[in-house]
Amino acid sequence: MTAELVRGQNHPLSQARLEIRVSAGTPIVAGATLGDEQGRIHGVEWVAHPGAPTLPGLEVSRQAAADHRLAVDLDAMPEAVHRVSVLLALPTRAGGPTRFGAVATPFVAVTGLDGTEVASYTITGLEAESAVVALELYRRQDAWKVRAIGQGYAGGLADLLTDQGLPQAHQLADGINEAVAQGMARSVPAPPPRTDGDRSRQTAAPALGPDQGGPASQGTPGPVPPQPTSPYGAQTPGGAGQPTPPYDIQSPGAPGQPAQQASYQDGTGATDSAQPSAPTSGGPIDYSHPRRQNAAPPPPPAQPGQPAQPVAGDATGWSMDERLYNQVWGMFEDLARTTSAYRSAVDFAESRMEKELDQVLSDPRSRIGGQGDAAREAAQAKHAQLVNQARATLDRDIAQLTAEAEVVEPALPPAYARWDNPVWHGYRAPMEIPMALRLGDLHLPESDRLRIPMLVRLPLERGLWIDSGRGGSLDGSFTDSHDLRRLAMETAVAHAARLLAVYPADEFTVHVIDPAGSGALPLAPLVQTGVLAAPPALGAAGVAEVLARLTQRVDLVQMAVRGGAPDSLPPGFDTSEQLLIVNDFPHGFDDRAVNQLRYLADEGPAVGVHLMMVADREEAAGYGPLLDPLWRSLMRLTPVPDDHLADPWVGHAWTYEPSLVPPGSQVLQQVLTQVAAARAKYW
């Protein structure tokens, strides 16, 4: 059970390997300091920050982000270390917030490797502070504990580090802010190649210049820069040291065994003892799978010197659905890697040009005559050459991924397919639950036309929040709040219809709360086809009745499971998965209803009760931090394209696009009619 700490409270830690997860709602800098028995820092080498993210037993994020995951191995801490302080600070960037009082309340959680929360702390009471010591892990009599601190500093990181006894506090604070501002933390190395046989792809690398070990420098090998290490050691793909998608996704396990979670929020994996082969620098993505152990068809033969042609289902798995799922996951990894390599190369080119220009301008003699202009033109030409080389590598990899996407997309089953896929025209109610569900598409600015399906594992482990409160979209197409609310409800209906369609007819039930009746038009397909458990609940009385019924259901199932008697449920008890759609929150909700909703969001997914909120967070601002845990427990989606999904592995901001029914299409009505007919056979 999670311990919800208040300031000054402590809690024992029974595990040595932990993750500290930070959620702030706005980009912040996360770091950590190592202290002795008195809590004092012995030097800058005892501070982990974006410019120096790894220390023995500790690894922090490499740039400012709204969400962070810090890896801690207490057994690997030096004997002299008795305290580990987790620091949060607002970046000193123009136009950004300058005090924590102007942003959402930061939330910090200590979790195990399996994602189970050990302790959490919501840092309240911050106003003018721009830096804060959030938590402290401390050693007491050979046992470790966590304490909620919440000590803020209006003077920022400099005052915080000074208070911890660091003489070079101001210089280090300036260095951290400069590292974040210049994007140094994005220049991370590509991960080692996969060794589990899921997808044998070569790691895409940036185009290298002569002074980066490129073709011109092959005759003069230079020193190999050290790679950052993680206290978790080598991990299999999907582990804490591997890329994870900006949405909950699980890597499948063996049949009959639970799958390992691999998400931005929850990711662990077992140590892989196989030795990885050396990555191919700058080579094309290899679509062949020499260690494949499934019945997928072999790729067609390629021309000499050309990569193999992509094939749908060309990944490991026990079924075609599993192979396609793994293939989509591999496409996401490849796009993240090659884009990270491109951005790192561009960062290097820019820093190189700035360094060369500074050297020219530092010599007064070079400012006279044409020598300075010639040096400036040479630096700019070198910069353009490096950027063009990196872009050529990126374009080549994107072209191959696009070719793969064009082959994979038409082969996807209904659970993974877009609504305009012809597979829906031959829809029949399934007999078993699929591995995953498509919630939309993901893409990056460098590859705007390449869309990666956003798949989440089933059953859902978190509720969904369709945010109807954004007044505009990336392209500026939606500025009217009424249109956005309507589109948010249509998005929720499309997701609910897909869930109904991919589950067996008697294994999924949908309830709707629409207190003011404002969602009547978007809800019409669900109501008219009769796939809802009951008509949408209206008014405060309807809200109370539905919430009381579902809360009682969660209590009954929990008691049966905890008592070891799952067969003791009342006769006629509906054992299907339940989905509750809530529109116009908090209209029609009193304090009791709000608490019941929070209870369903926290406890419901474990016993098959899921929540889908269509709401504007601003309208619920009157509840203050009381509802912060509710919003954090839900996966936020938007009805319009939005780049709110953060990728802590490589620092990408992925743009999410919802999966909507094409205008004028009757596919949703046809599919729901088939669902209703299949459900009629069981009722």
Side-chain angles (χ1 to χ4, degrees):
M1 184 175 180
T2 304
E4 297 185 2
L5 305 180
V6 297
R7 181 174 298 178
Q9 185 179 1
N10 60 42
H11 185 75
L13 298 174
S14 59
Q15 306 176 51
R17 289 188 171 184
L18 303 165
E19 281 189 352
I20 299 175
R21 303 182 180 185
V22 180
S23 177
T26 190
I28 62 172
V29 180
T33 62
L34 306 181
D36 56 18
E37 290 184 281
Q38 287 73 39
R40 303 188 70 81
I41 308 173
H42 287 195
V44 294
E45 66 276 6
W46 280 37
V47 182
H49 56 84
T54 57
L55 292 177
L58 179 64
E59 183 175 2
V60 303
S61 303
R62 291 169 169 81
Q63 72 169 21
D67 298 287
H68 293 270
R69 291 171 58 179
L70 284 63
V72 179
D73 187 351
L74 297 176
D75 287 342
M77 290 292 171
E79 289 295 329
V81 173
H82 288 261
R83 297 187 187 182
V84 180
S85 300
V86 179
L87 321 177
L88 308 179
L90 294 170
T92 56
R93 55 189 175 93
T98 59
R99 60 188 184 90
F100 275 109
V103 301
T105 304
F107 173 80
V108 186
V110 180
T111 74
L113 294 187
D114 59 354
T116 303
E117 284 192 6
V118 178
S120 64
Y121 175 40
T122 302
I123 310 174
T124 59
L126 299 178
E127 288 296 338
E129 296 86 347
S130 60
V132 60
V133 179
L135 293 175
E136 178 183 75
L137 310 181
Y138 63 97
R139 192 190 331 233
R140 183 71 54 83
Q141 296 179 350
D142 295 330
W144 285 89
K145 295 184 178 182
V146 57
R147 178 186 291 122
I149 302 297
Q151 177 64 51
Y153 296 84
L157 279 173
D159 284 5
L160 187 155
L161 296 172
T162 299
D163 191 44
Q164 295 200 359
L166 182 64
Q168 309 93 331
H170 286 79
Q171 295 90 325
L172 180 58
D174 292 342
I176 295 174
N177 291 326
E178 182 180 358
V180 173
Q182 294 182 357
M184 291 174 58
R186 287 189 300 149
S187 301
V188 299
R194 302 173 66 94
T195 60
D196 63 347
D198 279 353
R199 289 178 65 87
S200 302
R201 294 176 178 263
Q202 296 176 350
T203 303
L208 303 178
D211 47 0
Q212 285 183 290
S217 64
Q218 291 177 358
T220 309
V224 178
Q227 302 296 324
T229 58
S230 167
Y232 289 131
Q235 300 283 333
T236 55
Q242 291 291 332
T244 48
Y247 51 89
D248 289 342
I249 191 170
Q250 293 174 329
S251 56
Q257 294 180 358
Q260 296 293 331
Q261 182 74 14
S263 73
Y264 274 141
Q265 290 79 21
D266 310 292
T268 62
T271 302
D272 190 351
S273 60
Q275 295 298 322
S277 58
T280 303
S281 177
I285 298 174
D286 182 6
Y287 289 95
S288 63
H289 297 267
R291 293 183 298 277
R292 184 170 60 245
Q293 299 177 359
N294 55 39
Q303 297 296 327
Q306 297 295 325
Q309 296 299 314
V311 174
D314 190 21
T316 57
W318 294 91
S319 66
M320 177 57 78
D321 284 4
E322 185 176 351
R323 293 198 294 269
L324 288 169
Y325 172 84
N326 289 336
Q327 189 169 12
V328 170
W329 165 233
M331 292 166 59
F332 173 87
E333 285 183 333
D334 290 336
L335 182 57
R337 287 171 179 152
T338 190
T339 304
S340 177
Y342 167 74
R343 293 181 179 179
S344 296
V346 172
D347 286 345
F348 169 79
E350 291 177 353
S351 62
R352 172 196 171 97
M353 182 177 66
E354 292 176 0
K355 180 179 179 180
E356 292 178 350
L357 292 177
D358 288 343
Q359 290 176 348
V360 172
L361 296 176
S362 63
D363 188 356
R365 294 172 297 178
S366 64
R367 303 179 187 178
I368 303 174
Q371 184 178 358
D373 294 337
R376 184 180 300 106
E377 292 176 358
Q380 293 172 347
K382 184 62 176 177
H383 170 270
Q385 178 187 0
L386 293 175
V387 171
N388 290 338
Q389 289 176 358
R391 186 70 213 193
T393 302
L394 176 67
D395 290 342
R396 180 201 62 211
D397 293 341
I398 288 177
Q400 295 181 24
L401 286 170
T402 302
E404 184 174 15
E406 292 173 351
V407 172
V408 170
E409 190 68 47
L412 295 176
Y416 304 171
R418 291 196 297 253
W419 284 109
D420 59 357
N421 193 310
V423 72
W424 287 108
H425 296 290
Y427 168 79
R428 292 294 182 271
M431 300 301 295
E432 58 183 19
I433 302 173
M435 284 187 57
L437 181 83
R438 185 173 189 157
L439 292 181
D441 295 326
L442 300 169
H443 70 270
L444 293 171
E446 289 84 355
S447 53
D448 187 62
R449 292 186 296 175
L450 175 59
R451 299 295 192 270
I452 306 295
M454 175 178 169
L455 304 180
V456 297
R457 288 297 300 270
L458 292 179
L460 296 173
E461 294 192 353
R462 300 175 61 196
L464 304 177
W465 165 29
I466 315 299
D467 189 355
S468 62
R470 298 290 295 270
S473 59
L474 290 179
D475 56 5
S477 58
F478 279 88
T479 56
D480 184 80
S481 59
H482 177 75
D483 289 343
L484 201 61
R485 291 173 185 270
R486 172 187 54 79
L487 190 61
M489 198 60 198
E490 290 177 356
T491 303
V493 170
H495 291 325
R498 185 183 290 267
L499 283 164
L500 283 165
V502 302
Y503 269 82
D506 61 336
E507 296 187 18
F508 200 83
T509 304
V510 177
H511 311 266
V512 176
I513 289 178
D514 187 19
S518 60
L521 185 59
L523 286 169
L526 297 177
V527 175
Q528 293 173 0
T529 55
V531 295
L532 295 179
L538 302 175
V543 171
E545 191 274 332
V546 173
L547 291 177
R549 178 157 34 89
L550 291 178
T551 301
Q552 183 184 32
R553 174 191 174 85
V554 172
D555 291 338
L556 285 173
V557 177
Q558 282 187 338
M559 286 189 294
V561 172
R562 292 171 181 173
D567 297 332
S568 63
L569 292 170
F573 187 85
D574 182 11
T575 58
S576 64
E577 298 277 317
Q578 308 285 312
L579 175 68
L580 174 60
I581 303 176
V582 178
N583 187 31
D584 273 352
F585 179 80
H587 180 76
F589 283 74
D590 55 18
D591 291 344
R592 176 180 174 83
V594 169
N595 288 330
Q596 288 176 321
L597 197 66
R598 284 189 54 187
Y599 177 74
L600 291 178
D602 293 339
E603 305 294 336
V607 292
V609 178
H610 311 284
L611 192 61
M612 184 184 295
M613 299 275 292
V614 182
D616 178 0
R617 186 170 183 173
E618 293 295 328
E619 294 184 355
Y623 287 94
L626 175 66
L627 289 182
D628 285 348
L630 172 65
W631 304 119
R632 282 194 302 268
S633 67
L634 304 175
M635 182 193 305
R636 177 174 174 259
L637 303 176
T638 55
V640 293
D642 189 83
D643 59 351
H644 67 282
L645 293 174
D647 182 347
W649 174 57
V650 287
H652 298 334
W654 291 83
T655 298
Y656 165 79
E657 291 185 10
S659 180
L660 298 176
V661 179
S665 173
Q666 296 299 315
V667 64
L668 187 67
Q669 192 80 16
Q670 295 170 2
V671 169
L672 289 177
T673 300
Q674 292 277 355
V675 172
R679 289 169 62 88
K681 300 177 181 179
Y682 293 92
W683 301 94

